[in-house]
Amino acid sequence: MKPAAFSYHAPKTVDEALALLAEFAPDDGRVLAGGQSLVPTMAFRLARPHHLIDINGIAALNRLGVENGKLVIGAGVRHQAFRRPVADGPLGTLLSAVMRHIAHYPIRTRGTFCGSIAHADPASEWCLVAATLGAEMVARSARANRVIAAKDYFLGIMATALEPDELLAEVRLPLLPAGTCTGFYEFNRRAGDFAMGMALVTFEIAGGVMAAPRVGVGGAETHPRRIAAAEALLVGRPPGLEAFKGAGAAAAAAIDPLTDAQTNAEYRRDLVATVTRRALEQAADARL
Ligand SMILES: Cc1cc2nc3c(=O)[nH]c(=O)nc-3n(C[C@H](O)[C@H](O)[C@H](O)COP(=O)(O)OP(=O)(O)OC[C@H]3O[C@@H](n4cnc5c(N)ncnc54)[C@H](O)[C@@H]3O)c2cc1C
């Protein structure tokens, strides 16, 4: 099938893009970033936007660098930009490892980090990163600019706090302190498929025990999130299988898993215990 007819706009500045969004968002005007999610849904006529506002020609959106202790990722930055660490320390290495799980090479050369965050597929790796590490989403519109914390941003399956006339101009990720242990584990049936379940974890080691743990789960519920019950079981304990199994079981018990065409809720709950434990083991192993 071919997409339904639409008008195409190619702004060269952020202000032009915001003016176009203000004018056309009420008439189903949408941002076109990498097009790797939007264009297929248009081809199947699941989406029929009347206007596409193509942000690929806006050079100011290609920012990628560290400012004030945060990695700033502009709306033009592609998945593939993370193939090598883009920041010193554990964050750059973690992003590089996670990126390899997203789709396939041609998709990674077009799709954008911010496009994934705007699209908010429950199984998006970048959404799990944003939710677990406490990202800030910078939303701009002709009305105002605002910063949305990750905990207030993800609302459900492909549902976010972004308004239709808002451009997700950049995402800011806090740098991880030197020595932070990180792990990411994803399960799918074929390489490049969307995750059926995945976990991202970080913790520090102080005096031989775990401190400041973060346990995030994605691909299992309507949106990725941190699991406080799992984190509580790690604080103050030495890293090891017993603690990791307990955290995995707590994560599995805490979630409200999805049933979809890939698998059912019971399987996903079981899977979350495993991916959480394996992500924690990976974090501990990387330290050795
Ligand atoms: C075969 C295949 C496999 C895939 N596998 C994975 C996978 O394993 N993991 C994964 O995470 N993704 C996967 N994807 C999706 C891919 O990562 C997309 O690149 C991503 O979801 C969206 O980014 P995009 O830049 O292509 O956005 P687009 O497709 O251009 O846009 C997606 C949506 O977000 C909106 N949008 C985009 N950018 C902005 C912005 N800056 N501000 C406001 N709204 C915006 C658009 O209006 C649209 O509604 C896969 C895609 C395909 C085709």
Side-chain angles (χ1 to χ4, degrees):
M1 267 168 95
K2 297 274 185 267
F6 59 88
S7 301
Y8 174 79
H9 309 270
K12 290 287 176 232
T13 67
V14 171
D15 284 345
E16 280 173 37
L18 300 185
L20 287 163
L21 277 170
E23 185 176 356
F24 296 120
D27 187 23
D28 203 4
R30 307 257 193 107
V31 170
L32 174 68
Q36 298 304 300
S37 293
L38 182 55
V39 172
T41 53
M42 288 173 62
F44 285 117
R45 300 214 175 184
L46 296 170
R48 294 169 177 241
H50 295 154
H51 298 269
L52 285 191
I53 297 154
D54 182 350
I55 59 170
N56 287 278
I58 306 178
L61 293 177
N62 294 332
R63 287 170 76 201
L64 178 62
V66 174
E67 289 171 25
N68 302 321
K70 292 184 178 142
L71 178 66
V72 177
I73 305 163
V77 175
R78 318 270 171 197
H79 306 318
Q80 192 65 11
F82 298 88
R83 70 193 179 283
R84 293 198 187 92
V86 296
D88 291 338
L91 181 65
T93 313
L94 174 65
L95 297 179
S96 185
V98 170
M99 185 279 290
R100 286 159 219 283
H101 294 265
I102 301 174
H104 310 278
Y105 176 74
I107 293 162
R108 296 198 290 260
T109 62
R110 292 301 302 166
T112 63
F113 184 103
C114 289
S116 289
I117 303 290
H119 189 57
D121 190 295
S124 154
E125 287 83 357
W126 290 146
C127 291
L128 175 60
V129 167
T132 308
L133 301 187
E136 293 173 346
M137 281 29 107
V138 179
R140 296 190 57 185
S141 70
R143 298 174 287 108
N145 297 335
R146 64 185 179 127
V147 177
I148 311 168
K151 65 179 177 41
D152 304 320
Y153 178 84
F154 296 106
L155 302 180
I157 298 177
M158 293 173 187
T160 73
L162 275 184
E163 296 293 338
D165 67 339
E166 283 183 320
L167 173 72
L168 180 61
E170 63 189 38
V171 172
R172 300 177 190 153
L173 286 175
L175 295 183
L176 294 168
T180 303
C181 303
T182 66
F184 173 77
Y185 196 92
E186 167 171 334
F187 180 78
N188 48 27
R189 291 209 171 96
R190 296 176 309 182
D193 279 1
F194 280 99
M196 290 164 68
M198 59 185 160
L200 189 152
V201 304
T202 73
F203 56 80
E204 296 167 35
I205 301 284
V209 297
M210 291 180 278
R214 288 174 182 263
V215 175
V217 166
E221 299 183 281
T222 58
H223 58 286
R225 66 183 173 108
R226 285 176 69 178
I227 308 288
E231 293 172 354
L233 291 176
L234 299 173
V235 179
R237 299 187 66 185
L241 189 56
E242 196 190 331
F244 297 162
K245 272 187 170 170
I255 62 165
D256 182 11
L258 289 171
T259 289
D260 61 15
Q262 288 216 73
T263 191
N264 61 31
E266 188 187 359
Y267 181 88
R268 273 209 167 85
R269 192 184 296 286
D270 209 39
L271 185 59
V272 161
T274 303
V275 294
T276 303
R277 174 177 53 76
R278 289 188 182 170
L280 286 162
E281 287 173 337
Q282 196 189 88
D285 288 349
R287 203 176 136 256
L288 300 175

